[in-house]
Amino acid sequence: MTCGVITDGPLKILKPNTAIAVIEGAPQMVEKRRNEWTGGEKKKENVDNVAKDILYKTLDKNIFSKIKMCPTAKEIWEKLIQICERNKQREENKLPVAIQKFENLKMKAGETLSEFDERFSSLVNELAAPGKEYGNREVALKLMKALPRE
């Protein structure tokens, strides 16, 4: 039931509209007033709060600050989808830049081998994050080509 609240929105407690005469088909439904709710209906209405609580507990502070103003679990979920899609797109945009850096990598004049190794490893890790991985042979060849002849 919690999952439905996240994807479909808060549950509405309905009752048949007795003010309108129905000739054919099912009666028209209207929202029940809170003072008419049964115990089971009160529990159903609280499911959105339970879903919001579950979502809140799984988020870090940075993401929580972006969704805390959303009034329903459904709106929180939709905002999280937007955030994740933007992050994925950002990562995909970084890949061509990282590949170009890797292809043009050379050891700088005055740079120690330790500094170069740290920069090289960082770049290889940056490439692996969005899914571009080079084999050991390719990495070793690039490393050798990036070092100065001396």
Side-chain angles (χ1 to χ4, degrees):
M1 186 177 278
T2 304
C3 191
V5 170
I6 291 173
T7 56
D8 301 331
L11 298 173
K12 292 186 185 323
I13 309 301
L14 303 174
K15 68 177 182 177
N17 185 353
T18 55
I20 298 176
V22 178
I23 298 171
E24 289 183 30
Q28 183 183 7
M29 303 298 279
V30 293
E31 237 178 291
K32 254 189 186 181
R33 285 178 274 176
R34 284 185 182 270
N35 63 349
E36 298 175 321
W37 289 357
T38 65
E41 289 171 338
K42 288 176 183 175
K43 286 181 182 178
K44 279 184 183 178
E45 199 273 336
N46 193 45
V47 172
D48 189 62
N49 291 330
V50 172
K52 287 191 312 187
D53 188 54
I54 291 167
L55 291 169
Y56 289 159
K57 288 178 179 177
T58 61
L59 302 174
D60 65 25
K61 289 178 184 178
N62 183 35
I63 300 291
F64 178 77
S65 68
K66 295 175 183 177
I67 58 94
K68 68 182 177 185
M69 299 307 289
C70 296
T72 65
K74 180 180 181 181
E75 289 180 45
I76 292 170
W77 189 251
E78 289 169 351
K79 184 75 171 178
L80 289 171
I81 290 170
Q82 287 176 351
I83 291 167
C84 290
E85 286 175 353
R86 279 196 305 260
N87 288 347
K88 183 180 177 185
Q89 189 175 22
R90 239 183 257 129
E91 288 302 313
E92 288 171 355
N93 291 339
K94 287 180 181 180
L95 184 59
V97 174
I99 290 172
Q100 190 64 40
K101 278 189 208 174
F102 183 77
E103 299 300 326
N104 296 329
L105 184 69
K106 296 282 182 202
M107 188 171 177
K108 298 175 183 175
E111 186 175 33
T112 67
L113 194 53
S114 177
E115 292 168 336
F116 175 71
D117 179 54
E118 187 176 319
R119 195 164 56 93
F120 184 79
S121 297
S122 175
L123 186 54
V124 170
N125 289 336
E126 187 180 332
L127 285 163
K132 176 68 174 170
E133 291 189 36
Y134 290 96
N136 288 341
R137 179 179 160 85
E138 288 175 289
V139 171
L141 285 172
K142 181 60 192 168
L143 181 62
M144 296 305 287
K145 288 179 183 177
L147 295 172
R149 288 190 176 262
E150 309 84 54

